[in-house]
Amino acid sequence: MPSLTRRQALGTAVALLAGAAVDGCSVGSADSGSGTKTISFLTFETPNLTPAYWDAAIKRITDKYPDIKVNKLVAPTADGRTDYAKQLLQSGQFPDVMIAVSPAGFAEAGNLYAWSPGELKDFVFPTANPIKGKYFQLPANTQTIPPIYYNKRMFTDAGITATPKTWAELLDAAAKLKAKGVTPFVVGGGKDTFASSMILAGIISVDVYGTTPDWLTKRRAGQVKFADQDFTAALAKFANLAQQGYIAKSDVSRDYAATEQAFLDGKGAMYPMGNWFAASGDSKHPFDIGVFNFPTADGKLVVPAYTGGGMIVSAKAANLDAAKKFALAFQLDKTQLDASVKADGLIPAIKGYTPPADTGALYKAGYDLYQQAVTANAVVHTFRWETADDGLLPGLAAKVDAAAQDLITGRKTAADAAAYLDAEWAKAS
């Protein structure tokens, strides 16, 4: 999907802001009288994270701290929240608190509050995602990205007796499914472009990061390039899936919500997606769903994951103390953590936290896979999802998504895609 022009984007921002306030408050932070401090909070919506989820979450915290009043803003797309935050910054309406917005670019420009070690003491990974030695995003959750969810009946009907552990086994399963008239992989795109690159993220994470965990750090240092043999080979593996007909080219026009629904409607056998899908799988459960780790070339256990995604706070918030208090309370509240597990399948990275006993079977299966990987020291970062000094340069995640779509549709070869990413990297630098 082509990007909005600057004028269109700012127009969208203004229009959305006009109707974004909660409880009739205006957008932005200000004193509301009687000692009440008002802050603005940028969220996003998905099939799991509905307006009701966010409203309940906000109320949970404001009930605890009645001196804080919150204006809820909503990004226009599930994956467009970082770009939307940029638009709001450019228009002088930067939110006080934002969740799951990449801090890259904002932090370096001095727009974000840097959390102190004391404020991070309750998080399992307090030094996750450093930007120039400081920490701007609360490391609230771990997400495995992407395990592969699958339709057990379709696997059985195709004669697949074991979940794939190697790439060759995955290709064999895909061939058997296709022979049965089943689309092997469900992917998406449209306005939520990340849904196009999930498989690519998995391949690069296990193949490239599995042997060179600090590959992106090396890329930032100019020691490696996307055009190098190992990275180009990973791009070629992804392109081959589409060439073999294991991915439908038309799927890249389908947004995230429609992509999830397509899998739940039985329009494909495998759904590579972040572990947040487990919440939908457990609640909707239209058929028996299983999950397995993303396969590696030789079957070695390598599990891509990302810890972060929490709140960032504007350094220039009018009510900075209230913004910080709200952000920490939101991320550490046990009831809210339980709600995030059940609604979005998150793995809270909070010391002493354990998921509620009544979580669904699919969530538990994915949680166990992650814990096994932690025990085996087999966890690597997920390519494309990193947000700090060891991540992609600002704006490059969208370029990865675009390259993925071009590989699926055949508009680019692996070599073309690698050259494109190197060129875009040079521009961003």
Side-chain angles (χ1 to χ4, degrees):
M1 177 178 174
S3 301
L4 293 174
T5 65
R6 176 179 170 84
R7 180 176 295 177
Q8 289 171 325
L10 290 176
T12 299
V14 171
L16 285 167
L17 284 170
V22 172
D23 294 334
C25 296
S26 62
V27 172
S29 53
D31 294 340
S32 301
S34 304
T36 299
K37 303 296 184 183
T38 300
I39 61 173
S40 55
F41 174 34
L42 177 61
T43 68
F44 62 102
E45 294 173 0
T46 72
N48 294 348
L49 302 177
T50 64
Y53 169 86
W54 291 115
D55 291 345
I58 292 168
K59 185 176 186 300
R60 192 174 290 119
I61 306 307
T62 54
D63 281 350
K64 183 181 293 186
Y65 299 106
D67 59 320
I68 298 176
K69 194 168 188 177
V70 177
N71 290 335
K72 181 184 72 172
L73 314 177
V74 181
T77 66
D79 198 42
R81 48 194 180 267
T82 297
D83 286 340
Y84 188 53
K86 292 177 183 177
Q87 295 164 18
L88 296 178
L89 177 64
Q90 291 166 3
S91 63
Q93 302 174 92
F94 197 49
D96 298 319
V97 182
M98 294 147 277
I99 192 165
V101 168
S102 172
F106 298 116
E108 293 90 333
N111 292 306
L112 298 183
Y113 172 77
W115 297 99
S116 70
E119 290 167 327
L120 297 173
K121 63 182 174 59
D122 295 315
F123 297 89
V124 175
F125 305 106
T127 58
N129 308 316
I131 297 179
K132 299 190 182 304
K134 296 182 179 181
Y135 306 94
F136 297 91
Q137 186 165 44
L138 293 176
N141 303 296
T142 296
Q143 297 169 313
T144 52
I145 312 172
I148 298 181
Y149 297 92
Y150 70 102
N151 185 316
K152 289 186 176 181
R153 172 60 65 85
M154 287 181 175
F155 266 45
T156 299
D157 290 347
I160 304 167
T161 57
T163 54
K165 290 184 171 57
T166 68
W167 187 253
E169 291 170 352
L170 185 68
L171 293 179
D172 180 66
K176 289 177 178 177
L177 290 162
K178 185 182 177 188
K180 285 286 186 178
V182 174
T183 300
F185 293 99
V186 175
V187 302
K191 65 181 181 179
D192 302 310
T193 56
F194 76 95
S196 297
S197 63
M198 294 300 277
I199 300 176
L200 180 60
I203 295 172
I204 293 169
S205 298
V206 301
D207 283 6
V208 179
Y209 290 5
T211 57
T212 311
D214 59 345
W215 192 92
L216 262 180
T217 300
K218 292 179 181 294
R219 183 67 187 88
R220 282 181 171 241
Q223 298 171 2
V224 296
K225 291 186 176 181
F226 296 107
D228 289 351
Q229 183 177 357
D230 57 348
F231 200 97
T232 303
L235 294 170
K237 285 175 71 170
F238 178 65
N240 182 61
L241 294 178
Q243 292 164 4
Q244 297 295 322
Y246 301 153
I247 301 173
K249 295 179 180 180
S250 59
D251 284 2
V252 298
S253 64
R254 188 166 53 198
D255 67 14
Y256 169 56
T259 302
E260 177 179 292
Q261 194 59 49
F263 177 68
L264 294 172
D265 288 342
K267 294 181 179 178
M270 290 183 280
Y271 184 41
M273 185 50 62
N275 63 271
W276 54 82
F277 168 72
S280 288
D282 278 324
S283 63
K284 298 175 182 177
H285 204 65
F287 46 78
D288 202 1
I289 303 172
V291 61
F292 58 91
N293 288 320
F294 201 93
T296 57
D298 57 3
K300 176 185 175 182
L301 182 65
V302 179
V303 175
Y306 165 73
T307 297
M311 292 189 176
I312 58 176
V313 170
S314 169
K316 301 171 186 176
N319 293 311
L320 181 58
D321 286 343
K324 293 192 296 179
K325 181 189 291 187
F326 174 80
L328 284 167
F330 188 105
Q331 304 281 213
L332 297 174
D333 181 81
K334 175 65 165 63
T335 303
Q336 172 55 29
L337 291 170
D338 289 349
S340 72
V341 168
K342 293 182 178 180
D344 209 34
L346 299 180
I347 303 173
I350 308 300
K351 292 178 181 178
Y353 179 81
T354 55
D358 60 345
T359 53
L362 192 57
Y363 175 86
K364 290 178 180 176
Y367 182 86
D368 288 345
L369 288 175
Y370 171 69
Q371 295 301 328
Q372 291 164 15
V374 170
T375 300
N377 195 28
V379 178
V380 298
H381 286 176
T382 300
F383 172 71
R384 183 208 174 277
W385 294 81
E386 310 102 320
T387 59
D389 284 344
D390 55 356
L392 291 165
L393 295 177
L396 261 291
K399 306 305 181 184
V400 169
D401 296 343
Q405 292 196 356
D406 285 346
L407 289 168
I408 291 172
T409 59
R411 290 192 294 262
K412 280 186 173 66
T413 66
D416 292 338
Y420 165 76
L421 292 175
D422 279 324
E424 291 299 328
W425 184 279
K427 293 177 186 177
S429 295

